[in-house]
Structures are given as structure tokens and as C-alpha cells.
Amino acid sequence: MGGGTTAPAGVAAAEEEGVAKAVTTATPHADIPNIMSSLPTGPGFPPYQLSYYGGFWLSGLFLKGIAASHARFKPRPTDVLLTSFPKSGTTWLKALAFSALNRAAHPPSSAGHHPLYRSSPHDLVSFLEVSPELIATDYAGEDELYGELPSPRLLASHLPYSLLPNGIKIVYVCRDPKDTLVSLWHFHEKTTAVLLGVPGVAGASPPTMPTFEEAFELFCEGRCISGPHWRHALEFWEASRRRPDQVLFLRYEDMLLDPAGNLRTLAAFMGCPFSPEEEAAGVVHHVVELCSLAKLKGLEVNRSGSTLLGLKNEVFFRKGTVGDWSSCMTPAMAARLDGVVKEALKGSTLTFGPAPVIN
Ligand code: PAP
């Protein structure tokens, strides 16, 4: 990793230990299951068992998922991995990428016949590191992960860049950390009880949901799932600068401002640019419309169905706006978090929010 990755206050000691423990073996991260119980842990948000590994706070499922994906996932040149810090626009990105990639078989204008009418975006695009199958087998086994999926495969991940298998084309969606935290807060208000029932999520002591103020403090310390947020984003940002053909960096705020433009960029990056004929036929706008928050939120499957880990589909669709942080944070809290981020990103060119305009 490059500049700006200084550990925020409160994690420095744990970082040293956690980084030291991210040892390399023949298969990278193969030793995770053996060292999991000795990794640094402590309070975090959400109140799962979070352990510090490779510079990040990760749940037990994510840790096992790292080991399994390095050992059992065989990247193909046509794979695309949709990546994000949780609550940054993953569901939307999954819907857009799935619809763009599969538009020949499933025209976005086919209304009721499109797979998005029957399945949540999370059921159409699986997470690399967490799946009902992996949980059911407690991540044991040697079968190739997702080997049965036809190419081109579309998968997703909340893992940090440095802990992902190499050789996969990546799309990252980034969101302002203040809005991300508020989204994470609302999501976990609704889902923590269910998620704590999933084997391997809760720690030894009975966890309690923190207040927003407590969650805020933990987030500022980087002690949240996949945190620190800004370190997660920075790794992908730097990778996208080094290898723009391999890593596409999108911003949730830009996607809201210009969904069609960002969809065109996404499709071109995935190797399926929209043709002039498709442009003329309005296909781009059909995809944007189909994947809009209002559309997906209103579909019966997302109002009544449930998905990954038994969560209701509806919990993935809320306001979808910029600046909702002000509903939970005081201006002083916002300034404090902005300050933490600014300090951590010193020396890097990453900023949050819409992409800066370059004259
Ligand atoms: P995940 O990490 O659990 O998959 P993710 O989809 O990344 O969640 O984030 C959810 C956020 O995306 C929610 O934001 P909010 O809480 O601030 O409202 C959700 O409303 C928003 N979202 C979901 N689908 C869409 C969409 N189609 N368009 C825009 N925003 C969306």
C-alpha cells in the first residue's frame, strides 16, 4: 500500500500484530483458520466478533472467506469482481453490472421477464467470501469456488484489495464515509439480531447493538467491518491509478449525478460497451430505469423476499441519497470524521464525494 495508510488512533498496536500475522504461506492466507483465535480483537461495529488481520477489522466469515477464496477460487480472464466497503452502493452496482452484462439474453426492456423481477441483485451476483454453501460447510472442502458458473462470471466482495486473490478484473464503488456510516447504522439496526444468529458471526460474549454515538466512535477508530473505511478505499484507489485496465474506481455520488454515464463506463470496462444501435434504441436508459432505487424497491421480490443469510431483501433499499449523514450526525461529529479521514489520507490523491473536476 502507498501513502496515507497510517493506522488511526486505537488500532496502531493491533495493526502491528495483525499485519505481522498476515503471514504468507504456499497458498496465501492458508493459515487463517489456525491463527484466527489469536488475532487481535475488541469492540467494533457492528457488534460481531471482529479480528484485526492484514490491516483491517474483519468478521470470522470474511477471514475464512479469504482463506477459501485463495485456495479454491480459480480466476478466469473474463471474471469481473464488484467490490466495495459495505453500504457504498453494492446492491445497485450488482443490478447495473448484471443487467449490462446479460442484456442480450435478458433485455432490460423486457419488464416482468427480467431476472431482477424474480431475484434480488444479491441473489443474481454472489459474494466471493460469503455464501450459504460456504457457511453450511463451515468453509471446509476443496471444490473449486464458483467453478460451475459459466463465463463471464460476475461476483462481488467486501474484502480489501490487498486480501483478494490476484488476477481478477475489479470494479470498486466508493461512498462518502459519513453517509456510509449512517447507512451501515440503519442496516444493522434492522439486521443485527438475524446476523448474530449466523454461525461464526457473534463472538464469545453476548453482543449488544451500540448507540449511534458509540458506533460513530468505533467507525472513527476504524473498528468496523472491513474498516478502516478510508484504508479500504485507498487500496482500491491506488490500484486503479496503477492499473486502470484492471481496476475501475466508481463513486456512488457520481453514479447518482450521472447514472447513464457511469453505466457506459462500467459496461465498456467489463468488455461489453453499448453499441450506437443500442444507444439509439435507449438500452442505456432502460438499464438505468430498471436498476433505479425506486424501481427495485417497489418490486414484489424486494418487498417480501429474503436473501443471503436470511436477510429481508427490503433492508438493502432505503433512501439512496447524498448527505443523509445529517440525520444522525451533528456538524461537529461530521467535522471530526472528515478530520480523521483527511489525516489518514494525507499524501494521497484520494478524496471522497463526487470526483473532483480537473480543469
Ligand atoms: P451492502 O453492502 O449490504 O450490499 P449496499 O448496497 O452497498 O449494501 O448499500 C446500501 C445503500 O445503497 C443504501 O443506502 P442508504 O442506506 O443511504 O439509503 C441503499 O438505499 C442504497 N441503494 C440500494 N439500491 C440502490 C439503487 N438501486 N440506487 C441507489 N442507491 C441504492
Side-chain angles (χ1 to χ4, degrees), residues 87-91 122 158 175 183 252 291 316 318-320:
K87 315 322 289 183
S88 302
T90 326
T91 314
H122 289 288
H158 282 322
R175 190 179 190 188
S183 183
Y252 184 79
C291 299
F316 293 94
R318 203 178 62 93
K319 284 190 188 171

Side-chain angles (χ1 to χ4, degrees), residues 82-260:
L82 309 175
T83 59
S84 54
F85 185 90
K87 315 322 289 183
S88 302
T90 326
T91 314
W92 190 14
L93 184 61
K94 283 184 175 187
L96 289 168
F98 178 91
S99 304
L101 202 58
N102 295 290
R103 63 187 187 268
H106 304 294
S109 55
S110 62
H113 300 292
H114 195 277
L116 278 170
Y117 275 73
R118 298 186 298 278
S119 307
S120 142
H122 289 288
D123 289 330
L124 296 175
V125 183
S126 301
F127 281 103
L128 178 63
E129 65 275 11
V130 191
S131 69
E133 294 75 20
L134 283 169
I135 293 170
T137 55
D138 195 21
Y139 289 77
E142 292 177 0
D143 300 354
E144 188 182 334
L145 288 186
Y146 299 109
E148 75 290 357
L149 288 188
S151 298
R153 295 182 299 187
L154 195 55
L155 291 162
S157 179
H158 282 322
L159 296 179
Y161 179 77
S162 54
L163 297 175
L164 284 171
N166 290 326
I168 317 175
K169 229 173 162 178
I170 286 172
V171 181
Y172 186 72
V173 60
C174 169
R175 190 179 190 188
D176 181 289
K178 300 188 295 301
D179 284 340
T180 303
L181 168 59
V182 168
S183 183
L184 196 64
W185 167 255
H186 286 293
F187 179 79
H188 284 288
E189 261 194 320
K190 293 179 205 139
T191 60
T192 295
V194 177
L195 290 174
L196 288 173
V198 176
V201 170
S205 49
T208 49
M209 181 71 180
T211 62
F212 181 79
E213 287 68 24
E214 288 165 342
F216 173 83
E217 291 301 328
L218 291 164
F219 191 89
C220 285
E221 289 180 22
R223 287 179 176 266
C224 55
I225 185 141
S226 298
H229 168 284
W230 40 92
R231 186 177 299 168
H232 197 279
L234 182 60
E235 283 194 356
F236 286 94
W237 170 253
E238 291 185 338
S240 75
R241 304 291 92 187
R242 283 194 307 271
R243 306 174 64 208
D245 55 321
Q246 280 297 303
V247 183
L248 174 67
F249 192 93
L250 298 176
R251 295 164 186 264
Y252 184 79
E253 294 79 8
D254 283 344
M255 289 167 65
L256 284 177
L257 285 171
D258 180 14

